[in-house]
Amino acid sequence: MLEIEIDGKKVEVPDGSTIMDAAHQVGAYIPHFCYHKKLSIAANCRMCLVQVEKAPKPLPACATPVTNGMKVFTHSDLAVKAQKGVMEFLLINHPLDCPICDQGGECQLQDLSVGYGGVKSRYTEEKRVVFHKNVGPLISMEEMSRCIHCTRCVRFGQEIAGVMELGMANRTMYSEITAFVGKTVDSELSGNMIDLCPVGALTSKPFRYAARTWELQRRKSVSPHDSVGANLQIQVKNNAVMRVLPRENEEVNECWISDKDRFSYEALNSSERLIKPMVKQGGEWKEVDWNVALDYVAHGLKDIARNAGGDALGFLVSPHATLEELALARKLADGLGCGNIDFRLRQNDFSADGKEAGTPWLGMKLAELNELDGALVVGSFLRKDHPLIAQRLRQAAKQGTQVSVLHVAGDDNLIKLAAQRVVAPSDLVAALAAVVKAAAEAKGIAVPAGLDGVAVCDGAKALAATLLEGEKKAIFLGNTARQHPQAVQLQLLALELGKLTGATVGVLGEAANSVGGYIAGAKAKQLNARQMLEQPRQGYVLIGAEPEYDFADAQRTLAALKQAKLVVFMSAFQHGPALQYADAMLPIAPYTETSGTFVNTEGRVQSFNGVVRPLGDARPAWKVLRVLGNVLTLPGFDYESSEAVRDEVLGGVAEFVAADKLSNALNGVALELSAGEKPALQRIADVPIHFADPIARRAPALQQTVDGKVPAARAAAATLASLGVAAGDSVKVKQGDGVAVLVAQADETVPVGCLRVAAAHPATAGLGNLCGAISVERA
């Protein structure tokens, strides 16, 4: 430790600290622009100049290492004079457009110019002009004349997002921040550049000119999208959500959010919102009052339960629903004598049901990802499925963590990988088994039973090697692994590999409440999601889920719904296709209009309140389910608040789910490495990042990004040649009874013998299972 004195206050700091680090410890504010605690030091704005005893001139606090006994003066005459000089230079060319600047009112340059700027400029020359750039639908670079060249945006791309999308062109007064020629900014974390910009050079395109910062009310919330549960600050005006920003929480999302978290709010104010209860009478849809709609639904559910038994009903709930909604849906099903409820809508393999030791979870805290020595990610489109987890692993890899990937596609996760192996979906179990055997052989211990006949290749040895050294290691099962037809075998093998290497086994979790669904008990007591659709029920209740996009097999799902006597569709949106098969549509509030709880992948319980009033006649889903229970005269539906439901589920307020409820272990499940039938052409189905849930699907700006484009039929050049198809051809992709017409695209990251066709998109919604055989012919 080194001792330093700042403005007369003594403080001890670790070796290698800078004056800026020490100033933060004593609470001394040093003005700055280019410095950011999460980015590398650039020292190019010079606003943080301070006086150091015995130094011949002011020094930049962000880039000056502390020495023992150093004395620093942050507000001495010399320091303030230097800081004012820097401010004068910054303002020489800066346009004086604060009154119309989107950043006005929350601009660091504006704030600091009050204290360090002059009354008037000594310069009368014309200011420089920098022309605007078009870098995509999310970030506006209309006023680049405001840029002060702090390079925060450039460094963010390189260091946090993992891809350099902006850079500095030219020199001296001709310098300007720009994208590469003909390129846009496409990172799934790109919106963070807007927050980082200390002036109004980079602003939000969807929010631009929508409101002034002082008109907005600020509310805390939690992201309803992926399993991280990023903490949000939602800004509201006139009962409408105007903007979503990150709320710093070092243990969850640090100070970042994904573009999906940031821009999906546009859907909340869209024309597709369902704002009146609707029932189908005589084949025609009619808007009705709530009491009529609830009586209609209650009567229909009661009739089916009385005449065919509660088992004739099925409850299918989105994993993006709140803990309270999941719990009350389960309670409603129980009250009707129905054990058919599930939230695992995209899952194919349920053979571990009743044999799980606890709730599947990450296996560690999110903040511990940065401390790992080795990590193996199995079956995950990591960068798009979990952008903030990918970001943590990216930083860890820079610090020496051995990150490796076993997957069905060779996507670039922008992480420095120690090893990677890409195999067809039908070979994924065998590939992981080979890693287990390679680890056992490397450690010189007996190969686990059932793996004697497994062939070990160099790729398997390389993956195993990343888990053989170091103390803290982890194996993570991603969305693809969980949706795989042999998901349980993959989990068994991961647990075996964990035993051999001392690695923790974790599940990344698909949605905001992938852990919460288990805690709420919203999983099958009788039929699971797949069985409910393979063995069609007479009545279905869908909560927050859209059959075409949110299920493992859209064809099977739609066939089951179309034959049902009653389909109750509870959603925040008027989903067009549901008008054909639903009988009642109940408008429920999205996360911004209801209170509730999400349990993220690390088991962290995060409750939130509504930030605006429900739109139209929409009501919080927990209230709709509670009143439906009352109308059905079921006992135990007398809750006064969502907190009462939460406390009943969790047994009181808790920050984390009790450790004894969380476990990825399996009991009494046998290892079976049956190869099964290998189709001639296999489907690989990713769920595009901006189509993973109903809110993101309806956000116009997100749909205009590269990730919002219509999917292509992607395959290796050799596969396309064997099919008699050339890249650029229009092709008919067939699966079951479904057909999609797509453009063929050569992609060498796809294994030979496979066709990558994204799911959850209108263009591919008619196809079948996320996994399995698929065929292609020229259109």
Side-chain angles (χ1 to χ4, degrees):
M1 298 292 281
L2 303 172
E3 190 176 272
I4 178 175
E5 186 181 297
I6 298 183
D7 296 336
K9 297 178 184 174
K10 290 190 176 179
V11 62
E12 284 193 343
V13 295
D15 288 8
S17 297
T18 62
I19 293 174
M20 188 73 85
D21 298 330
H24 283 156
Q25 283 196 40
V26 299
Y29 178 72
I30 299 175
H32 60 273
F33 293 115
C34 68
Y35 170 80
H36 190 277
K37 62 183 178 181
K38 294 286 183 182
L39 302 176
S40 63
I41 293 166
N44 54 6
C45 79
R46 314 310 278 184
M47 191 65 210
C48 65
L49 291 174
V50 293
Q51 181 180 356
V52 177
E53 189 180 63
K54 297 179 182 175
K57 58 183 180 179
L59 299 175
C62 67
T64 304
V66 168
T67 57
N68 209 32
M70 179 184 272
K71 287 188 179 181
V72 178
F73 307 94
T74 65
H75 291 90
S76 66
D77 290 343
L78 180 66
V80 171
K81 185 181 178 183
Q83 291 159 359
K84 285 185 172 182
V86 170
M87 178 60 71
E88 185 177 18
F89 275 118
L90 287 174
L91 293 177
I92 289 172
N93 276 306
H94 197 80
L96 304 178
D97 59 352
C98 296
I100 59 101
C101 176
D102 249 13
Q103 203 88 326
E106 50 187 15
C107 167
Q108 282 176 260
L109 183 65
Q110 189 182 42
D111 293 342
L112 290 176
S113 67
V114 174
Y116 298 93
V119 176
K120 65 177 184 176
S121 176
R122 289 185 284 171
Y123 295 85
T124 57
E125 291 79 9
E126 287 185 5
K127 292 177 182 279
R128 72 174 196 148
V129 174
V130 180
F131 289 107
H132 72 272
K133 287 101 178 158
N134 181 15
V135 291
L138 304 181
I139 298 176
S140 171
M141 295 180 77
E142 287 293 319
E143 285 91 11
M144 289 307 291
S145 297
R146 298 172 184 158
C147 179
I148 60 169
H149 303 156
C150 69
T151 68
R152 279 183 177 183
C153 55
V154 177
R155 284 174 287 145
F156 171 83
Q158 287 176 295
E159 297 163 19
I160 307 299
V163 55
M164 185 176 176
E165 295 180 292
L166 295 177
M168 181 88 81
N170 307 322
R171 300 188 69 183
T172 66
M173 68 170 284
Y174 303 105
S175 300
E176 55 184 272
I177 299 290
T178 185
F180 291 94
V181 177
K183 298 284 188 180
T184 54
V185 174
D186 301 319
S187 161
E188 61 284 351
L189 299 173
S190 66
N192 292 291
M193 293 180 185
I194 299 166
D195 298 334
L196 287 172
C197 184
V199 293
L202 303 182
T203 52
S204 165
K205 232 176 209 181
F207 173 72
R208 192 173 158 76
Y209 300 142
R212 305 312 303 258
T213 179
W214 52 85
E215 299 174 311
L216 302 172
Q217 297 172 305
R218 288 153 177 79
R219 302 283 185 268
K220 295 177 181 179
S221 194
V222 178
S223 167
H225 300 296
D226 65 30
S227 61
V228 169
N231 289 202
L232 308 178
Q233 181 194 93
I234 298 183
Q235 300 187 340
V236 175
K237 178 186 176 186
N238 296 336
N239 200 52
V241 174
M242 304 303 290
R243 184 164 62 165
V244 174
L245 299 175
R247 180 161 54 91
E248 188 168 345
N249 186 333
E250 199 62 30
E251 295 180 333
V252 181
N253 55 301
E254 300 174 74
C255 54
W256 317 119
I257 53 174
S258 69
D259 288 350
K260 180 162 64 172
D261 296 331
R262 183 183 299 272
F263 296 107
S264 65
Y265 74 88
E266 285 187 291
L268 305 173
N269 307 318
S270 81
S271 59
E272 288 190 55
R273 281 294 301 273
L274 181 63
I275 55 173
K276 288 280 287 185
M278 298 169 68
V279 296
K280 192 186 284 182
Q281 294 177 337
E284 289 188 13
W285 282 99
K286 295 182 180 176
E287 291 185 351
V288 297
D289 292 333
W290 266 109
N291 58 339
V292 175
L294 291 172
D295 282 342
Y296 177 90
V297 170
H299 185 75
L301 293 174
K302 199 182 289 183
D303 274 0
I304 293 172
R306 184 174 57 241
N307 298 329
D311 189 47
L313 295 170
F315 285 72
L316 296 160
V317 192
S318 168
H320 299 277
T322 67
L323 184 74
E324 293 80 357
E325 291 160 9
L326 288 155
L328 288 177
R330 189 253 312 151
K331 197 165 187 175
L332 190 67
D334 289 346
L336 290 164
C338 171
N340 310 327
I341 180 169
D342 215 336
F343 69 97
R344 301 163 297 171
L345 308 183
R346 289 198 182 108
Q347 195 163 308
N348 273 296
D349 185 1
F350 296 89
S351 58
D353 277 10
K355 299 171 184 177
E356 290 159 326
T359 295
W361 70 303
L362 187 64
M364 60 175 60
K365 298 286 184 284
L366 283 163
E368 293 173 357
L369 291 173
N370 305 58
E371 302 165 6
L372 290 171
D373 297 310
L376 169 63
V377 181
V378 180
S380 177
F381 293 96
L382 185 63
R383 190 178 142 208
K384 302 298 182 182
D385 290 346
H386 305 96
L388 294 175
I389 289 177
Q391 187 276 132
R392 282 192 182 268
L393 289 174
R394 188 174 299 126
Q395 305 314 314
K398 289 180 183 177
Q399 303 303 318
T401 302
Q402 297 276 300
V403 180
S404 56
V405 172
L406 172 60
H407 190 32
V408 296
D411 289 15
D412 185 1
N413 287 305
L414 305 176
I415 298 172
K416 183 183 176 184
L417 295 178
Q420 181 177 23
R421 189 167 181 219
V422 179
V423 298
S426 59
D427 297 329
L428 191 58
V429 173
L432 186 55
V435 178
V436 178
K437 186 173 180 180
E441 289 175 346
K443 295 197 81 172
I445 52 182
V447 175
L451 301 185
D452 295 326
V454 173
V456 176
C457 62
D458 289 341
K461 290 176 182 175
L463 292 172
T466 62
L467 295 174
L468 293 173
E469 295 178 10
E471 293 183 7
K472 289 195 76 171
K473 296 159 285 189
I475 303 154
F476 298 116
L477 297 168
N479 294 0
T480 304
R482 298 294 284 172
Q483 294 157 5
H484 195 275
Q486 293 175 285
V488 175
Q489 295 302 311
L490 289 170
Q491 189 173 345
L492 272 176
L493 288 165
L495 290 165
E496 195 64 53
L497 184 58
K499 280 183 205 167
L500 285 169
T501 61
T504 302
V505 175
V507 173
L508 293 178
E510 177 187 350
N513 247 343
S514 291
V515 172
Y518 285 92
I519 301 301
K523 74 181 187 76
K525 290 180 184 175
Q526 290 174 305
L527 302 184
N528 57 51
R530 179 173 180 163
Q531 292 167 331
M532 274 185 252
L533 301 167
E534 285 179 339
Q535 304 163 35
R537 307 289 93 194
Q538 292 186 27
Y540 289 98
V541 178
L542 299 174
I543 303 175
E546 296 177 342
E548 295 76 10
Y549 310 130
D550 294 327
F551 287 75
D553 190 329
Q555 281 179 32
R556 183 174 63 207
T557 305
L558 291 171
L561 294 176
K562 285 173 181 174
Q563 62 76 49
K565 292 180 180 176
L566 176 70
V567 175
V568 181
F569 186 80
M570 296 173 63
S571 175
F573 300 98
Q574 186 170 317
H575 181 53
L579 295 171
Q580 302 300 315
Y581 50 78
D583 298 287
M585 298 183 86
L586 304 182
I588 57 174
Y591 77 107
T592 51
E593 298 168 19
T594 182
S595 55
T597 304
F598 293 132
V599 183
N600 76 356
T601 188
E602 64 176 351
R604 183 184 295 267
V605 178
Q606 300 189 107
S607 293
F608 56 92
N609 293 311
V611 300
V612 291
R613 294 187 305 277
L615 196 62
D617 285 346
R619 294 293 178 265
W622 74 267
K623 286 188 178 180
V624 175
L625 293 166
R626 183 201 65 191
V627 176
L628 194 51
N630 297 151
V631 175
L632 287 162
T633 64
L634 300 176
F637 280 84
D638 51 359
Y639 305 100
E640 293 294 325
S641 66
S642 63
E643 289 80 9
V645 184
R646 176 198 66 195
D647 292 348
E648 182 178 281
V649 174
L650 297 174
V653 179
E655 186 182 358
F656 287 93
V657 172
D660 59 353
K661 289 185 179 178
L662 300 172
S663 175
N664 295 309
L666 299 173
N667 300 319
V669 182
L671 186 63
E672 296 174 9
L673 294 183
S674 56
E677 206 171 306
K678 189 172 181 178
L681 187 65
Q682 300 177 53
R683 181 182 183 184
I684 295 172
D686 58 309
V687 176
I689 182 172
H690 299 149
F691 289 88
D693 61 80
I695 297 177
R697 284 194 279 271
R698 289 172 172 83
L702 293 179
Q703 298 313 313
Q704 292 165 26
T705 63
V706 169
D707 287 314
K709 286 184 178 177
V710 175
R714 296 160 61 180
T719 306
L720 291 178
S722 70
L723 296 167
V725 171
D729 286 353
S730 185
V731 295
K732 277 186 183 176
V733 178
K734 294 183 179 179
Q735 197 180 15
D737 299 327
V739 178
V741 178
L742 304 172
V743 175
Q745 182 180 323
D747 185 346
E748 296 307 318
T749 66
V750 179
V752 174
C754 297
L755 187 75
R756 181 168 171 180
V757 180
H761 190 283
T764 59
L767 299 176
N769 204 299
L770 299 172
C771 311
I774 195 167
S775 63
V776 177
E777 60 184 52
R778 294 181 70 167

